[in-house]
Amino acid sequence: GATSLQSLLLMFLSDLGAPDVLEGLTLSVATISELPVFWASGTLINKYGASSLLCASMAAFTVRAIFVSFLTNPWMVLPLQLLHGFTFAGAWTAGVALAKENSPAGLETSGQSIFSLAYNGVGGLAGSIVGGQLYDILGPREMYRIKALVFAVTLLFYLITLADWGRLKHLRCCKHRDQAPHASGYHRI
């Protein structure tokens, strides 16, 4: 879905009456916005973790898709394209780092190749086909809103997978035991 956010954008801008120069500027701003994120990605991953960067990127995807869905003046896409650096470069570097972290020793490059195939190949193809159909059937605004919903739900499910359920259960049990009316000090010793 992430690929079609960018790939169908030029069609939407054309539908809004954007001049050709704006379409070129749109891609230029998007590409330039990637540079600082790629440059800082190692520091961000070391400080916050690849999963945190991926979550932040998915949240930015959601916000970006929502804002794009409300565009009426095609020139307003330029400030939104600054988010592209964070959405693409953040998701890409986090995905590559997570693929390496979760691959067996000696197979890190293979894991990163599978990530690339999933992100650019299968994901890009499926997202563009589904996005194109939604664009034709429902229109670009609804397509971007549906994409925002998909990004948000995906983020929610990813956050659920990151939760330390054993720790949360332990905290909940301890909290309830300490607050129970029949709990005595003797049991806390």
Side-chain angles (χ1 to χ4, degrees), residues 157-168:
F157 280 123
Y158 185 61
L159 287 170
I160 288 169
T161 68
L162 295 176
D164 185 351
W165 294 103
R167 182 170 179 253
L168 292 173

Side-chain angles (χ1 to χ4, degrees), residues 102-155:
N102 291 295
S103 295
L107 295 175
E108 296 87 354
T109 305
S110 297
Q112 292 170 333
S113 296
I114 292 169
F115 165 73
S116 180
L117 173 68
Y119 190 92
N120 288 322
V122 177
L125 178 65
S128 293
I129 289 171
V130 172
Q133 292 299 311
L134 290 172
Y135 192 102
D136 285 343
I137 295 167
L138 301 174
R141 295 183 191 288
E142 289 304 313
M143 179 211 56
Y144 281 112
R145 291 173 188 149
I146 289 169
K147 288 198 168 289
L149 179 64
V150 169
F151 290 134
V153 169
T154 303
L155 173 59

Side-chain angles (χ1 to χ4, degrees), residues 2 14 26 54 63 71 76-77 80 105 118 127 137 140 147 153 160 165 171 178 180:
S14 182
T26 297
L54 184 59
V63 169
L71 278 178
M76 293 308 296
V77 75
L80 293 178
I137 295 167
K147 288 198 168 289
V153 169
I160 288 169
W165 294 103
L171 291 174
D178 290 344

